[in-house]
Structure formats: structure tokens, C-alpha cells
Amino acid sequence: MTTTHADYRLSQLDQLEAESIHIFREVAAEFEKPVLMFSGGKDSIVMLRLAEKAFYPAKIPFPVLQIDTGLDFPEVLDTRDNWVGRLGVKLVVASIDDAIAQGVVIDDGKTSRNRMQTATLLNAIEENGFTAAFGGGRRDEEKARAKERVYSHRDEFGQWDPKMQRPELWSLYNGRIHAGEHMRIFPISNWTELDIWDYIGREGIEIPDIYFSHQRRVFERDGMLMSETPLNPLRAGETVEERTVRFRTCGDISLTGCVESTASTIPEIIAEISIAKLTERGATRGDDRFSEAAMEDRKKEGYF
Amino acid sequence: MSETNEGAANATNMDLLRFATAGSVDDGKSTLIGRLLLDSKSIFADQLEAVEATSVAKGYDYTDLALLTDGLRSEREQGITIDVAYRYFATPNRKFIIADTPGHVQYTRNMVTGASTADLGLVLVDARQGLTEQSRRHAVILSLLRVPHLVLAVNKMDLVDYSQEVYERIHAEFTTFATKLNIPDLEVIPISALAGDNVVNRSENMSWYSGPTLMHHLEHVHVASDRDLVDVRFPVQYVVRPKSDEHHDYRGYGGQVAGGILKPGDEVVVLPSGMTSTIEGIDLFDQEVTEAFPPMSVTVRLADDVDVSRGDMIARVKNAPTPSQDIDAMVCWMTTTPLKPRQKLAIKHTTRTARALVKDIQYRLDVNSLHRDQETKELGVNEIGRVQLRTTVPLLCDPYSQNRTTGSFILIDEATGITVGAGMINSGA
Ligand SMILES: Nc1nc2c(ncn2[C@@H]2O[C@H](COP(=O)(O)OP(=O)(O)O)[C@@H](O)[C@H]2O)c(=O)[nH]1
Ligand SMILES: [Mg+2]
């Protein structure tokens, strides 16, 4: 735990924490209606922890927004409820199915749930009048994210224009927006996957069980191990078997793969990641594999 | 489930070095970063495979490591860097945050973005060409931004037969130029980003060079002493008021320490009101700390019920900035419509936002010759000049040379909301 240091040096993890807390406070002070986008994954849990610290002993002064894809891991929803309950924050759930029912999102049978998630999110932001939405994106995750500012401006259509980003100097963030626009805020931009795990370990905070090694019935698809679930029907030639696995990211069940792993504690996970050969998205995210610019294209449309 | 990391991984104790690349287009910045990542084993197999596949598809003879950082579609199409890319790697004792910045003049504002937070600037030059206008411009910007450490990497040594003479000539030329700048620490390293000489591994082709490799220098350059631990500066960011039964009377001031060391019991002054009080306690989440120093984010409680709000600053009674509405600063202009006298803008300085009127543009700095052009009374895009501003409320500022946080500001166009300028306050304002 950080108290004081004889030589007045702050470890890199403490520096990252201080930077993130600064960002949370800045947004809470300058934006009318911020919201924290909570995916249930480790990154959004770390965000919640940082927000908790930024305003303590006061409660987090903004609600938490979750997009219910209908394809969420039950363990993730449990963790979400525990966190929201303990912190006493308001939870706003926007469901893709409701959005389809209301005709806000069109399900043409060809669009993935992932893409419909973007439309549902933008609709929820607009309906609730949110002016700033915190996201758990990290720049080390993916090459388009590596380019994004901490304050990332979105136009009335929720779009990101990577060629027109505002200069962002020192820690002086510019939160000006026009009516109908909003800002995406990435307080953990500078954290790496390893930092996230070090922090979870140090803070001793709750994350979904699926990050730890467990037995699961899985099948192989496009070189990834996918969970057997009625939400994800088998295709010809695919066979299910039980393996010892864990998840490195938690997205939508139908697109998120797991990796074979016996790591059942945080130090073991850290040891595993330190020697990992694949990025977490490359290893386990079907949504980023469609093209070299898959993430950039989705981000331009308004994805997380 | 939750487990505590008993072993306290080394990563939690590592220190941090932020560095930014600079230099002309094609001098090899992106390639160098790719090389640093590759040779420090920070590249994942899927990233390398993707880059190799793209290089083959484009018909290149070698793997284009620049593709590792040029992450936008238009960047890969044009083979250039448009915006800053942030990359991360770590060696056992240090984590590095790299800002790979663009070299084109029209993207200078993105270079400034990447360099503003850097501890070290890495300027590349192509050994065949020597210093160019862009490398001079970037060295000037790094010096104005007070990036405390500078490395001049003489790249593409493989294309000049690893010639010592070429290295010495560029070294001498830069040293002469640098005497007019403010560069406290300079290292000149001959490298080949493509072949890897002197990047991570010592070159076998340049036995005449006895200095450090780039990686060795990055790992060992001393950055802790770059902060100001003397002059207490605490810009109040957010007033924490729980209004709960449990913490009924709690009132704390959240902020990030910008300078000095704060301790409970210290006598402090709140600016601009000038009211004095004593620090009752300093909270970091649910713990009280005995000291707070930069760049800690803490919550400060005062003994007296003084009026404090966002935008105010806590300092020491005998060491506080003078509130001023007249600001004299070097401004880097970042938009196509020029900056002119009488123009009105929004200004953000620490946690305080106000409006500013441009009273005068004293001169435009020619970044090549460092000549001060007093004839032109406006600043075009990517130009730097000395500007006098009058603000609607007093700013609590220090010279930028003393404190990079309390000495800097941004200018915002009130109609578009875009950040159009970056300012560094001069001393004696
Ligand atoms: N021969 C040689 N070519 C290099 C070296 N470093 C970079 N290059 C090449 O120079 C070109 C421009 O490099 P790039 O990294 O994109 O430059 P940037 O614009 O500064 O980011 C590419 O074709 C590189 O392969 C080097 O050390 N030696
Ligand atoms: Mg480049």
C-alpha cells in the first residue's frame, strides 16, 4: 500500500493510479452527466475501484451503464451485482433485445451482437443524456486504441474521427462538447494487461471466477477455444470436450474464447501473462479478427 | 473470488520513464520503436505475424517494423505516422511509455501532444542527411517543453558504412545548435534501427563508439530528480463532501500534487482568497498518509472552515504563486486560422478555466535559426511565438521552467471547442 517513500518516488503502478484518479475527478467536476461503462471484465472493475478511491468517502457521483447483450457470462453479472451493491451506485442496464423490440436497433440476421451493442450503447447514451462515458480501453490492447486520446470526442452520431483528434497536452484535458455530442473517457489508457493484474492482486478486489482456471466444456473454432452453450450452436465438424481453461477477457459468450491454463491465483496469472506469446485480444477475441482494421472501424462507429 | 498478491511482483515497485520520439518523416522513428519492442521481447507472436504478413503482401524485402505502431488504416495506406501512438514495454526495473510521434510538419500538434508529458525526447536523424529543419524544430519544441533529457539518435548508420566521421559531424553540428537551447542532458548515439546496432545490443560494426546503447541509456537515465519537491502547489480539483451519516462533517479537497511535499500540520494559504489554515490530514482512499508529493492524487483536509473550491490552489504561506491576470507565455499554435491580437479564447490552467484576450504577439520564433521575427503580428499553424494575454480571472501560475504543471495552459476555441494552442508561461511575467 502506498504511504510514503523515503526517497519521494512513486512506483509506476502508483503513478498510474494517481493519473487515473485525476482523470475521474476532472470529469466529475467538468461534465454535467458522466456515466461509467461497465462490461464486467477486469478492466472495468479496476475502473470502479479507481472511481471508488477518487471520491472516497463520498459515493461515486455517477451511475454505471451496462449493455446487456443477452450473451453475458452469468459469473460476470454476479460480480457486477456485488460491486454495484457494495458501492451503492446506480446501475443502468440497456439491453440489446429491448433495443431491437423498440426498433432502435435492427436485427437483420447478419449483424453480429457485437455491432448491435454499439447501436444500443449510443441509444442509451442519447436517451439518458450522458455527456461523458468512461470506458476501460487500454492503449496496449490494440493498435487503433494505441492512438486514442484520454478524452476522445464523439460527434452527434457517436463517431470517432481518428484524423481529427484534439491535441491533448500535459494533464490538461479539454472537455468541451456541443449539444448532442459526448466524450469517451479512458482513465486507464496507460495501463497494460500486467498492470491490471498487479493492481487486482495488490488491492485484493473481486473479479469474475472465469478469469481463474476451471474445468469447462469447450470446442475449437477458428483456432480459439469457445464455451459450449445454447447461445452458441455447434457447427458441422466441431466437437466438445472438457478442458482446464480460463478467460483472459470477458466479452460476449459467442465470440470470446478461453485459453488452456492451470493458473488459479493472481500470482499464477501474472506469471502466465509475463510469458504469454499472444495478445489478449489476438488470443481470445473473435471480434477483432475480421480484418486488420476491425477495431478502428468499430471505434469509428462508436464502439467502446 | 479474490486473492492478494503476497509476493508483491516487481512490477509494483518499478519506476516509470515516459519518452517521445521526434524527427523528420522517414528518419526511422517507428522502425526504432518496433526494434526496441522486438529486441526487448515485448512483441507478441500475433502482432509480429500480422506485420510480417502485411510486409509480404506489400512486396517489401524485409519486415516493416513501423507497421507495429502505425495503427490507423490511413497511416498504413500512406506509410506515414499521422497521430501519436502510445506503446508500452518494461525491463526488470523500469516501465516505459513511448509516444511515437509524427514527423510531418502539418502534424506537429500531435508531436507536441506526445512530447508534453515526456521525461525524455528521442530525436532521430538520418545519418545520410544530417540535421533537417524538422529535427531542429523538434529539438526546439522539446527544449521549450522542458523535456529534461534528450537523446539524438543518429540512425541508418548501416547506410553510411558505420562511419565515425559522419557521426562526429552530426554530433558537432547538433551540439552547436543545442547551445542556443535549454537541454540539460544530451546523449548522442549512433544506431541502425533496422539492423539493430546499438539499440538493445551493442553494435559490432562501430567499435569506435564507447558510449551506452540506447536501451542502456533509457534504463539508467535518472528521472526522479526532475520533480519540484520544494514549492508546494496543490490545485484543488474536486471538493469531496460525502453528505452521509457516517461522514457527516467530512470535507476534503481532492487533487494531484503539482509540487512540493505536503504534511499534516503544515500552515497553508488558499489562493486566490489568501485565507490561511493548517493541513489537518491527508487521505489516500481509506488511509491517512503522513506526506504527499508529486504526482500523488490525494484528498487534503484543512483545520479551518475556509472557503475552498475547484480552481483554487493550496500553497505555503511564505511560498505561493502570485495571482495574475497578465500572462506572458510562449504559445504553440495548432490550428489553421492564425492567432491574432484582440482574439478571445478560453484558457485552461491547472483546474481553473477562464477567458483570455490576446493583447500582443511580441514575436514569432523561427525554429530553424531561432531568429525572433517581430514583424509578423500573427501565429500560423504549428508556429511558436511569444504572446501576452489578459485573463478574466487571476491565474495562479509559476514560470514553466519551474513547474511544468502550474506553468502550462491550453487555449480553446470557444465556438468549436477545439484545443488550438498550448502555452508555457515565461518567468518574470
Ligand atoms: N537502412 C536502414 N533503413 C532504415 C533504418 N531505420 C529505418 N529505416 C527505413 O526508413 C524508412 C522509414 O522508416 P519509418 O520507421 O517509417 O520512419 P518514421 O517516419 O520516422 O517513423 C523505412 O523504409 C525503414 O525501413 C535503418 O537504420 N537503416
Ligand atoms: Mg513513423
Side-chain angles (χ1 to χ4, degrees):
Chain A
M1 190 71 241
T2 316
T3 44
T4 54
H5 304 246
D7 52 356
Y8 300 109
R9 273 168 60 166
L10 219 49
S11 76
Q12 68 101 12
L13 203 56
D14 287 329
Q15 289 190 46
L16 292 175
E17 182 189 61
E19 176 179 275
S20 303
I21 289 176
H22 172 84
I23 295 164
F24 273 111
R25 287 172 170 167
E26 205 58 17
V27 172
E30 289 200 320
F31 284 87
E32 229 160 280
K33 219 174 165 196
V35 68
L36 187 147
M37 299 190 289
F38 185 75
S39 71
K42 60 186 189 312
D43 301 323
S44 43
I45 288 172
V46 165
M47 277 209 298
L48 271 182
R49 175 63 162 187
L50 292 163
E52 179 185 11
K53 288 196 174 189
F55 305 105
Y56 188 88
K59 279 189 186 151
I60 297 177
F62 38 78
V64 164
L65 171 67
Q66 200 214 355
I67 306 303
D68 173 7
T69 59
L71 296 169
D72 296 302
F73 288 94
E75 294 88 343
V76 168
L77 299 180
D78 288 347
T79 307
R80 174 198 74 187
D81 293 340
N82 291 344
W83 270 93
V84 165
R86 188 174 66 75
L87 296 177
V89 286
K90 186 173 160 227
L91 175 69
V92 180
V93 177
S95 114
I96 296 188
D97 289 326
D98 289 352
I100 294 171
Q102 290 162 16
V104 192
V105 174
I106 313 290
D107 184 6
D108 55 6
K110 285 179 294 202
T111 312
S112 78
R113 299 289 283 189
N114 195 296
R115 273 228 142 80
M116 293 192 277
Q117 203 178 330
T118 302
T120 309
L121 169 68
L122 292 177
N123 183 56
I125 289 175
E126 195 172 319
E127 259 184 7
N128 291 281
F130 294 129
T131 52
F134 292 102
R138 308 188 322 262
R139 286 168 174 160
D140 81 320
E141 265 180 280
E142 204 280 332
K143 55 189 180 305
R145 286 213 199 275
K147 294 269 164 183
E148 195 160 7
R149 303 277 192 260
V150 171
Y151 274 37
S152 185
H153 180 262
R154 299 301 149 109
D155 65 13
E156 305 95 308
F157 301 97
Q159 297 181 106
W160 178 52
D161 184 353
K163 288 183 85 170
M164 284 295 291
Q165 297 196 88
R166 293 177 179 177
E168 189 166 83
L169 293 106
W170 301 289
S171 47
L172 287 171
Y173 301 104
N174 172 2
R176 301 247 166 164
I177 49 168
H178 292 110
E181 301 175 343
H182 73 278
M183 201 68 92
R184 292 291 168 87
I185 315 280
F186 298 102
I188 56 167
S189 287
N190 287 324
W191 296 54
T192 63
E193 186 184 12
L194 204 55
D195 296 326
I196 294 289
W197 283 111
D198 279 327
Y199 195 68
I200 290 170
R202 184 180 92 172
E203 301 287 308
I205 51 180
E206 183 198 340
I207 55 166
D209 282 339
I210 57 170
Y211 280 113
F212 299 97
S213 178
H214 57 282
Q215 298 294 113
R216 182 175 285 264
R217 290 176 55 78
V218 295
F219 61 91
E220 230 170 277
R221 179 177 292 170
D222 304 328
M224 293 190 296
L225 290 179
M226 311 300 292
S227 288
E228 180 199 36
T229 141
L231 299 170
N232 208 1
L234 288 187
R235 296 177 191 156
E238 290 174 341
T239 51
V240 174
E241 56 182 327
E242 190 165 284
R243 301 228 204 148
T244 307
V245 299
R246 67 174 204 89
F247 286 86
R248 276 177 79 185
T249 66
C250 332
D252 138 358
I253 292 190
S254 68
L255 286 167
T256 307
C258 46
V259 291
E260 297 216 72
S261 166
T262 54
S264 54
T265 63
I266 293 192
E268 283 168 13
I269 290 176
I270 291 172
E272 184 185 283
I273 293 175
S274 315
I275 55 163
K277 294 246 163 2
L278 296 181
T279 58
E280 60 183 35
R281 286 197 164 260
T284 63
R285 289 300 278 265
D287 36 347
D288 289 337
R289 291 187 158 195
F290 303 126
S291 86
E292 215 192 353
M295 175 65 96
E296 180 180 345
D297 293 343
R298 283 184 295 135
K299 285 191 81 67
K300 281 184 191 162
E301 287 171 14
Y303 185 68
F304 291 102
Chain B
M1 187 189 291
S2 76
E3 344 255 318
T4 321
N5 181 10
E6 312 283 9
N10 194 21
T12 25
N13 304 323
M14 276 189 212
D15 75 1
L16 182 64
L17 181 85
R18 296 180 197 246
F19 72 93
T21 62
S24 310
V25 186
D26 284 347
D27 282 351
K29 295 180 294 298
S30 301
T31 308
L32 176 61
I33 306 259
R35 169 60 60 189
L36 278 171
L37 296 173
L38 189 68
D39 287 0
S40 64
K41 309 204 168 33
S42 315
I43 303 268
F44 291 99
D46 53 329
Q47 292 174 319
L48 190 60
E49 268 165 33
V51 164
E52 281 167 350
T54 309
S55 300
V56 171
K58 290 194 165 188
Y60 298 161
D61 296 337
Y62 51 86
T63 302
D64 186 0
L65 296 175
L67 294 171
L68 284 167
T69 57
D70 290 338
L72 298 177
R73 189 192 289 277
S74 35
E75 292 180 323
R76 285 192 304 274
E77 278 165 11
Q78 299 171 45
I80 59 162
T81 309
I82 293 173
D83 211 330
V84 199
Y86 293 90
R87 302 301 309 225
Y88 305 82
F89 73 99
T91 57
N93 296 313
R94 204 166 245 189
K95 173 174 162 178
F96 300 89
I97 300 183
I98 317 171
D100 182 27
T101 73
H104 283 90
V105 187
Q106 77 255 42
Y107 303 125
T108 302
R109 58 167 188 257
N110 296 333
M111 181 270 170
V112 176
T113 288
S116 67
T117 50
D119 305 303
L120 181 145
L122 178 58
V123 180
L124 268 82
V125 293
D126 184 329
R128 296 169 303 176
Q129 276 156 25
L131 298 188
T132 59
E133 173 164 357
Q134 243 342 52
S135 37
R136 286 198 187 87
R137 173 194 297 270
H138 284 174
V140 170
I141 292 173
L142 289 168
S143 141
L144 279 171
L145 285 168
R146 299 268 168 176
V147 176
H149 308 273
L150 196 137
V151 172
L152 181 73
V154 182
N155 189 31
K156 307 198 185 181
M157 288 300 291
D158 55 309
L159 298 179
V160 294
D161 296 323
Y162 297 103
S163 153
Q164 178 173 10
E165 202 192 313
V166 170
Y167 166 80
E168 299 290 358
R169 197 178 60 231
I170 294 171
H171 191 326
E173 194 187 349
F174 190 79
T175 315
T176 312
F177 180 68
T179 52
K180 296 182 231 162
L181 304 177
N182 198 302
I183 299 172
D185 172 39
L186 171 70
E187 195 71 47
V188 186
I189 307 177
I191 64 164
S192 168
L194 196 65
D197 298 82
N198 288 338
V199 179
V200 171
N201 304 312
R202 178 158 282 283
S203 171
E204 285 170 11
N205 300 309
M206 291 179 273
S207 50
W208 47 263
Y209 174 73
S210 57
T213 62
L214 177 61
M215 183 67 107
H216 182 90
H217 185 64
L218 293 175
E219 279 191 285
H220 293 92
V221 63
H222 189 65
V223 286
S225 55
D226 299 335
R227 291 161 309 151
D228 175 4
L229 294 173
V230 176
D231 311 296
V232 170
R233 299 290 185 266
F234 186 76
V236 175
Q237 217 191 339
Y238 190 88
V239 181
V240 180
R241 292 231 52 190
K243 298 186 183 145
S244 63
D245 293 340
E246 193 188 343
H247 303 280
H248 193 79
D249 295 323
Y250 188 97
R251 189 185 177 91
Y253 306 106
Q256 188 165 21
V257 183
I261 300 163
L262 288 86
K263 294 187 185 114
D266 282 352
E267 232 190 284
V268 291
V269 59
V270 179
L271 297 172
S273 73
M275 308 265 274
T276 56
S277 184
T278 314
I279 296 182
E280 185 179 77
I282 303 171
D283 298 330
L284 188 67
F285 185 39
D286 56 359
Q287 308 212 337
E288 274 199 54
V289 294
T290 52
E291 289 174 303
F293 52 90
M296 285 168 75
S297 278
V298 293
T299 306
V300 172
R301 282 176 285 114
L302 298 181
D304 307 280
D305 206 1
V306 288
D307 180 13
V308 185
S309 51
R310 174 176 165 84
D312 291 353
M313 184 177 301
I314 295 173
R316 296 304 299 272
V317 176
K318 291 211 177 72
N319 178 350
T322 323
S324 171
Q325 284 175 262
D326 292 296
I327 309 295
D328 172 25
M330 296 304 291
V331 168
C332 177
W333 191 244
M334 305 191 284
T335 192
T336 40
T337 8
L339 177 73
K340 291 183 179 147
R342 306 299 310 161
Q343 201 165 325
K344 288 186 186 116
L345 298 142
I347 184 169
K348 186 171 180 186
H349 170 261
T350 68
T351 55
R352 183 167 273 242
T353 302
R355 299 183 72 209
L357 168 76
V358 180
K359 285 205 327 210
D360 188 25
I361 298 175
Q362 222 171 313
Y363 60 80
R364 191 181 59 84
L365 190 71
D366 182 322
V367 292
N368 228 347
S369 60
L370 294 175
H371 171 73
R372 296 171 176 187
D373 173 6
Q374 298 181 338
E375 304 304 305
T376 336
K377 281 291 172 198
E378 56 180 55
L379 289 183
V381 63
N382 296 317
E383 290 185 339
I384 295 165
R386 185 165 182 174
V387 176
Q388 267 75 44
L389 301 170
R390 171 86 187 168
T391 56
T392 47
V393 295
L395 301 186
L396 312 161
C397 48
D398 292 298
Y400 185 77
S401 56
Q402 238 173 61
N403 190 314
R404 278 170 92 179
T405 307
T406 55
S408 57
F409 59 82
I410 55 170
L411 297 169
I412 300 166
D413 181 305
E414 295 187 295
T416 62
I418 291 170
T419 308
V420 289
M424 289 145 283
I425 296 162
N426 290 322
S427 48

